[in-house]
Structure formats: C-alpha cells, structure tokens
Amino acid sequence: MDFNLSEEQLMIQQAARDFAQNELLPGVIERDRDQKFPAEQVKKMGEMGLLGMMVDPKYGGAGMDSVSYVLAMEEIAKVDASAAVVMSVNNSLVCAGLEKFASEEQKVKYLTPLASGQVIGAFALSEPEAGSDATSQKTTAEDKGDYYLLNGIKNWITNGGTATYYIVIAQTDPEKKHKGINAFIVERGWEGFEVGLKEDKLGIRGSDTHSLIFNNVKVPKENRIGADGFGFNFAMAVLNGGRIGIASQALGIASGAYELALKYAKTRKAFKTEIINHQAIAFKLADMATQITAARMLCFKAACEKDAGKDISESGAMAKLYASQVAMDTTIEAVQIHGGYGYVKEYHVERLMRDAKITQIYEGTSEIQKIVISRSIAK
C-alpha cells in the first residue's frame, strides 16, 4: 500500500482545512449552543464540491476518490462535527446510493442537484422500534398500482428539517419480512409528509435531527429505487459505505481534540515547566497520536478497498468501530489535559467530547459493527 498522498489529494485536504478554519471555526461555539444549522457554510461546501465528492461529474459530482473523501471529512470534523455529518449523509448515504442503484431518470432528476450541492438529502431508515434491528420496519408502503401509499414515523433523521429529498425505507409486504422492504425517493412538501420536532441532543447540536411523519403520502411508482423488495439490501449496501464517512468524522473529532491538547500542553506551565514535559501528559499524547494514526490507516484501507470495488463490509465496520472508540478516548483525555479549562466551552474540547459519542451509535452501533466483523471473520 502506498502511504504517499497524491498532489491532488493534498490539495483537497488543504482546501478542506482552510475552509474549516476560515468558514466553520468562526461561530462554531455559538451554533452548538443555539442548535443552529450551518446553512451558509453548507451552501459553500456544496459550491466547493464537498457534498458530492465521489459522484460522476456528469451527475454534478466532483468525481474524486474515497481517500480524498476521508481527508476532507477529517478536516471538516476537526472543527465542526455537525457540518461533517451533513457532508457524510449527503455523500455516503444519499448520493452514493442513488448513483449505484437509482434509474437513469432518478439520477438526472434527483442525484444531479444533490451532488452539485443545490439541495441536500436525508436517509430515513431508523424508527422508534427499528434502529439497530432494521428488519423490523413499521413504516408501510402499500402498493396501489401506479403509486405507493406511505404511512409511518421515522426517527433521528439527520438533515430531517433542511433536506429537499429523502430516501425512505418502508415495508411493502410484511409476510416477506426483509425481502418485502422497499426504498423510495420522497420529496419535501408532498401532501401528508410532515417534519416533526427537532431533537435536543447531547452533541452535534448544529446538525438538523428530526422525526418524519408520513400520513397517506402518495409516492409515484417511478420513485421506488430498484426492483420490488430491494429496499433492505439497498439500505445495507448504503450503510456499508456510510461507515467510512462516520469513521472519518470520528477520526476528525479525535485529531481535532489531539491538536488542541498538544498545543495547550506546549504552552501551559505547571511546576516551572510546560506540562508536555511531564511524563503523565506526554504519555497521554503519545497514546493519542498512535491511536489516531491507526484509525486513519483503517479509514484509508476501507476507502482504498471501496475504490477497488471490493466488499467493504468488514473493513468499513472495523474503521467505524475503532475510530469511534478513539474519538471517545482522545476527547476525554483532551479535556483532562486541559484541566478546568477543558470543562468550559471556550476551549472547544468539551464540545468535541460531546460530539464524539454519537459516532459509536449512528449508522450502526459499535455492537452492530462487532456483529458484522465477527460474521465476516467466521466465514
């Protein structure tokens, strides 16, 4: 494996880093406090090509590789994990799924504006009683001939209140269980479709998380993705790729906290010397640097395998499992290194610690990742 980044990849990394520092850092504390969606910043991300990074340019995308995506995600998440999850969902769950599985008509109508950043999308799988157990869909899509009648509730939907297009997973034939599930493209504003209350969250508070309510929503037959009964396989395939995005987000949260802790340790003095000269602090930083590097390598491995067309169920799960744990461990230690200052919002690390936790939960909990990995190694 070549560990040297190409000139183009380095340029993408630098562009994302500059954007994060110049556009996302100002106001990030206030957006977290006020649960304010970074609408202006997300619009600029779209203009930069960050919302459809791996999509073919003929559909409005940037046509980049997955390693470039990991690099950009890390830089964005270092500063604002809320903006990073908007980027991850639009790239990994919405655009990637449409490009791979949607019809040509669906790609032209929906993928092009999503990949070019004109609008953003959402992926609606989770329900009040169907989170990790994605087979237990209670949202129904009744086949009415030339349309489906959609009824049900979706929970914890990222971009739920700001998306224009939604990929919704619903049960059409309960007797067939997971083989009776379908995926649909639903447009905001359709009659019977209502966005529920915004969630008041521990972390990623700038991210727009809502429940969605469907009451006899008519979905045209041409808005079903793939063949009848393909919905569950569609969702699992999309989530495999999505784990690279969340792993990269976790990596960014960890590396952002590490950089802040390192900078603080080099300037903060205790017992007549900078605290980095005390072994108790130096060893913490050494562990953090090592774990972050390992997490980055797992993200790169999964990204390279994805670009090579390989099955990434195992590598993606490993990257997400490990990177999310590193994010938690690193942010906790970053707060500890900052001491009392780490407990106040001004120094950023307390926010990163709150943001880190969700990476162990959404797009498959750590426990689900272990199931995926154990099944893979048992084959």
Side-chain angles (χ1 to χ4, degrees), residues 258 275-291 333 337:
Y258 165 74
I275 63 173
I276 196 171
N277 296 322
H278 298 299
Q279 191 178 80
I281 302 299
F283 279 15
K284 287 182 187 292
L285 291 164
D287 286 339
M288 292 158 75
T290 302
Q291 291 162 5
E333 290 288 43
I337 288 170

Side-chain angles (χ1 to χ4, degrees), residues 104-163:
E104 185 63 24
E105 291 77 13
Q106 290 169 343
K107 290 177 185 179
V108 171
K109 183 176 181 180
Y110 297 112
L111 177 58
T112 301
L114 285 162
S116 59
Q118 299 172 47
V119 299
I120 59 173
F123 183 79
L125 173 65
S126 293
E127 298 181 2
E129 297 180 25
S132 295
D133 183 7
T135 61
S136 299
Q137 296 289 303
K138 295 293 189 291
T139 298
T140 60
E142 187 179 354
D143 192 341
K144 292 292 187 178
D146 58 348
Y147 67 90
Y148 288 90
L149 205 57
L150 191 63
N151 284 281
I153 298 174
K154 294 293 183 179
N155 270 21
W156 325 114
I157 307 305
T158 301
N159 302 342
T162 50

Side-chain angles (χ1 to χ4, degrees), residues 10-20 48 50 75-76:
L10 290 170
M11 289 175 61
I12 292 165
Q13 182 186 47
Q14 187 62 53
R17 182 178 297 154
D18 291 343
F19 177 81
M48 289 177 64
L50 294 177
E75 294 301 327
I76 298 298

Side-chain angles (χ1 to χ4, degrees), residues 15 31 84 87 115 128 142-143 170 207 214 259 266 297 362:
R31 291 195 300 274
M87 178 178 164
E142 187 179 354
D143 192 341
S207 169
F214 304 96
E259 289 177 6
K266 287 180 175 179
M297 292 301 102
Y362 58 14

Side-chain angles (χ1 to χ4, degrees), residues 224-259:
R224 188 187 71 204
I225 301 173
D228 186 26
F230 180 64
F232 180 77
N233 288 337
F234 169 84
M236 294 303 102
V238 167
L239 287 172
N240 275 341
R243 285 163 188 155
I244 295 177
I246 300 304
S248 303
Q249 180 196 27
L251 171 64
I253 293 169
S255 57
Y258 165 74
E259 289 177 6

Side-chain angles (χ1 to χ4, degrees), residues 14-31:
Q14 187 62 53
R17 182 178 297 154
D18 291 343
F19 177 81
Q21 294 296 321
N22 297 328
E23 301 288 345
L24 290 174
L25 185 57
V28 67
I29 292 174
E30 291 75 20
R31 291 195 300 274

